[in-house]
Amino acid sequence: MKKYNGLKVFPFIVSLLAASTSIQAAEESGEPIRIGAVLAVTGPASFLGDPALKTLQMAVERWNEEGGIEGRPVELTHYDSGGSASDARTYANRLLSRDQVDVIIGGSTTGTSMAILPQVERFQVPFIALGSGVGIIEPVRKWTFKVPHTDRMVAERVLRHMQANGAERIALMSATSGFGQSGRDEMRLKAEELGMDIVIEETFADDDSDVTAQLTRIRSQDDVDALMIFGAGRGPAIVARNADQIGLNLPIYQSHGAASEEFIRLAGDAAEEVYVASAAILVADQLADDDPQKDVLTEFERLYRERWDESASAFGGNAWDATMLLEEAVQEAGTQSDSLRDAIERISGLVATNGTFNMSPEDHNGISFDSLKILQVREQSFQLVE
Amino acid sequence: MSASAVVIGTETSRDSERANEVVAADPVLEIAGISTFYGPVQALDNISLRVPEGHLVALVGANGAGKSTLLRTISGLESPRSGSIRYCGEDITQRPPVRRVQAGIAQVPEGRQVFGPLSVEDNLMLGAYTRSRREPLGADLESVYTMFPILKEKRKLPAGTLSGGQQQMLVIGRALMAKPRLLLLDEPSMGLAPLLVEEIFATINQLREDGITVFLVEQNASLALGAADYGYVLETGHVVMEGHGQALLNDENVQSAYLGI
Amino acid sequence: MGEFLQYLVTGITIGSTFALVALGFCLVYNASGIINFAQGDFVMVGGMSAVFIMASGVPMGLALFLAVVVGGLAGVLLYKGGIQPATNAEPIQLIIITVGAALFLRGVAQVVWGTGYFSLPTFTGDEPIRFLGVVMVPQSFWVIGVTVAIVAALGLFFTRTRLGKAVLATSYNRDAATLMGIDTSMVLLLSFGLAGALGAVAGVIVAPITFAHYEMGIMFGLKGFVAAVLGGLGSFVGAVAGALILGITEAMMAGYISSDYKDAVAFVLILLILFFMPSGLFGRRGVERV
Ligand SMILES: Nc1ncnc2c1ncn2[C@@H]1O[C@H](COP(=O)(O)OP(=O)(O)O)[C@@H](O)[C@H]1O
Ligand SMILES: [Mg+2]
């Protein structure tokens, strides 16, 4: 805990004793567990931050109804980053220095996660990131963990599916956002590893209202086998609709940024036959009954719907997994920051909505690429393909 | 009360006759104790004057004396802090400017404020803005064109392209399109060549002959007082002298202060 | 050739929506001398209102009309609630009030309608029309057609009607207009209302293409502002020309060079204009500013 940092001027053993006794005291007196959150609840990434905040609120309510974690009440302090990296940095600092939180969950986007990361490393408080960029956990940083599948896994998953279906020459259309840029880099990297060709690359801005020009370029390029769209929010739906309108005759793949019912709702008929890489949550009911994830997913979906009267998304699922990781680690080790961190790193076999988490000192993401699913939109709903 | 104005020109019998006539006529405009401020700056201090029906009254004063402020206060562009303005017997001190125009007070503002990008004819038609939609305006337009034939020639051109003299004709014509009962003129001679000034003043005389009540504000004291039935002299917000136009012109003080004689 | 036409059509469609926003900027700027930073958010108000009025079961045509009315009301409210009470404020203070109004509108929209994206059905079907290798969706015709109709109607209003000329007179010289008996605060109210309605029209016609979102006004406000400045802030012809130039240049940039640079177009154009033609393409010359 940060408030004991001052004791480091004493010999190591003294400080350790002092810290552990006061922690003991705190826990006995029911000192609350303080969770700090910095989420993009407004702004262009609000589709990520909004369900995440709702999920965290729901989790905290449930813990407190059940008497807290290990008898200690849970407190949530939340700041809205609006998707801005500099705001995220400011708020992370406030959580760490003023609000004295035990853990930070947040950074809805890759950019905001990357902005929070140096702060937690400096203050030595565990951070469970909800951004997807692989850069958040590579290289591994001591205090930073991350829930969602990386965009590298998404790239690999999509490219392998393309390859298996005979597509080798790829058109890539990525958003100019941090999400899109990181996705584009991972696509390049993985395409090279798999011996595939990205023959044309185009970009679009998150608030573009028409991308016909870019798609016309792709259409006029011969011998393209498939189109990958790497973007999040409304952009992927606009691209899908424009592609449909100009009669672009290619299999279309979308990243996990399009893995929500909203994509189908916005793109309408243009969503038909589009492939989407996604966590299993969108097709929970289609999982085999003996799939270990099925129970977790069904439970989360039910709770979320009961609490918020809307269907759960993968983005809410990420936050849910963060609370599962936290709960398990706190139960095992309490909230003293070093032990909490170590406990998160030791988590193994934890079945959550994204897959089964097996954290290790080398892997602060802990889920494998095959827990990511390929879905296809058929008759306006997601179908599990692979 | 600040020092009341010196009244000049009651000595000669002819002058006193004229002056009495002016005083006797029903006032179209009657101003009593007006003080107007710009923020903390006082521009008018306790001004009282009257403009009788069918006459030409002039107010002369140096640059910065408060002439424009007085006209703006009469039109309602500025609100006085105290005092009252009566027009045709009614107190209009609190009336919004639009209703003063509707009641027949037209002002030709200083500096030839034409609507530059609009055509000459559009400018004239805007002068008739408060008149009823159904009223035919063709005849009035023609009479302005008769008064200023050059405007007819240039009626399709943007007003901003006219020369200074032509713009002055345009703003006078524009004000006349309102069929005003009281015409307020703010320094119509300003910045014009002597020949043009003469032409403009000839027009003003003609208007008075036609029975329009005119309140003329000028720096050019000799011209204005020469044309006026009655005159006032304004100095830094105070009326310091008043009297029959010609009598004021002959006054030594006025001559030394405003005519450089 | 087919590609060129495709880029052109795309550019004209996008440019048309910018034009409606740019015209709104001009209306308010001319009438009051201020730049209304809430102009883009009128687009949002129109788009979102249309979505939710329709969702409540109102037939489409009526819903679209009501959404435009809501936009107009937003403009009127901005004037009545923000601009008029600050009679003696400096332009910069008024501009800050509009920034506040923009944030307020966004905040209200977020609370009332949430942060999601919403689609509106296209007015007349989705079947794309193909000719000369160009693909055009029916909604593009609506966007371009409505814009042309509105530009024509505004043109008639300003050149043929007394009220239109009174608005212009007010914009050229407010005191002189008052002396004509023009109720200039009514003209201001009308300008804000019209600007709100224009923005809402843009929102209503693009919502089927771009989806409505509580923050959709940011991009439209920015692009509309750039278009208005390109055209010489205050010139209506200039605003439309600026918007088309911006839309077409962006599409050509995305098509022929790279979509990476598309968003730089607006800024490069603004810099070029400020550098070489400070009063804009159709800016009023000094002579006319009497
Ligand atoms: N808008 C204004 N704000 C502040 N002071 C003003 C303003 N207009 C005029 N004044 C001041 O009021 C006084 C009278 O000005 P004005 O009526 O224009 O004089 P005139 O028309 O006789 O030249 C001057 O001292 C002038 O500086
Ligand atoms: Mg003056």
Side-chain angles (χ1 to χ4, degrees), chain B residues 22-23 30-31 63 143 151 255:
Chain B
V22 170
V23 173
E30 197 168 13
I31 287 171
N63 191 20
S143 72
L151 295 184
Q255 285 186 345

Side-chain angles (χ1 to χ4, degrees), chain C residues 65-158:
Chain C
F65 173 76
L66 288 176
V68 173
V69 172
V70 172
L73 284 178
V76 166
L77 274 179
L78 169 57
Y79 177 69
K80 279 282 174 195
I83 305 299
Q84 198 179 33
T87 354
N88 294 319
E90 299 287 317
I92 185 71
Q93 293 171 304
L94 295 175
I95 289 171
I96 291 168
I97 290 175
T98 70
V99 173
L103 297 175
F104 175 76
L105 285 176
R106 252 171 254 162
V108 169
Q110 187 188 348
V111 171
V112 177
W113 294 316
T115 57
Y117 293 93
F118 302 92
S119 72
L120 196 66
T122 51
F123 298 177
T124 49
D126 286 312
E127 204 44 53
I129 297 147
R130 297 190 161 76
F131 60 95
L132 301 172
V134 177
V135 182
M136 217 172 150
V137 285
Q139 193 65 23
S140 293
F141 288 105
W142 279 103
V143 170
I144 296 169
V146 168
T147 304
V148 168
I150 283 184
V151 169
L154 277 180
L156 286 178
F157 175 66
F158 284 117

Side-chain angles (χ1 to χ4, degrees), chain A residues 336-347:
Chain A
Q336 199 279 325
S337 55
D338 288 303
S339 356
L340 180 59
R341 189 212 81 89
D342 292 348
I344 298 176
E345 198 171 70
R346 279 196 308 271
I347 284 175

Side-chain angles (χ1 to χ4, degrees), chain B residues 24-74:
Chain B
D26 279 343
V28 170
L29 181 72
E30 197 168 13
I31 287 171
I34 283 289
S35 296
T36 301
F37 289 73
Y38 293 106
V41 180
Q42 181 161 17
L44 296 179
D45 184 5
N46 198 16
I47 303 285
S48 299
L49 53 78
R50 27 187 281 137
V51 180
E53 174 98 62
H55 289 79
L56 195 164
V57 172
L59 176 87
V60 297
N63 191 20
K67 305 182 296 294
S68 298
T69 305
L70 181 59
L71 291 197
R72 290 173 64 81
T73 307
I74 296 170

Side-chain angles (χ1 to χ4, degrees), chain C residues 6-16 243-244 246-249 251:
Chain C
Q6 183 71 59
Y7 302 150
L8 192 66
V9 165
T10 303
I12 292 175
T13 307
I14 299 182
S16 298
L244 290 177
L246 180 60
I248 293 170
T249 316

Side-chain angles (χ1 to χ4, degrees), chain A residues 41 69 72 76 79 84 102 109 118 148 163-164 174 180 209 261 266 268 286 291 299 366 379:
Chain A
V41 178
I69 304 177
R72 293 172 61 192
L76 175 67
Y79 298 114
S84 140
D102 300 312
T109 62
Q163 204 167 33
S174 57
S209 47
E261 300 291 343
L266 293 178
Q286 296 170 41
D291 192 310
E299 169 80 348
E379 290 171 4

Side-chain angles (χ1 to χ4, degrees), chain A residues 209-237:
Chain A
S209 47
D210 188 304
V211 295
T212 312
Q214 292 93 312
L215 290 168
T216 305
R217 263 164 78 99
I218 291 176
R219 188 179 58 179
S220 60
Q221 176 93 22
D222 300 331
D223 65 14
V224 175
D225 301 325
L227 168 64
M228 172 64 184
I229 299 162
F230 225 115
R234 159 197 90 127

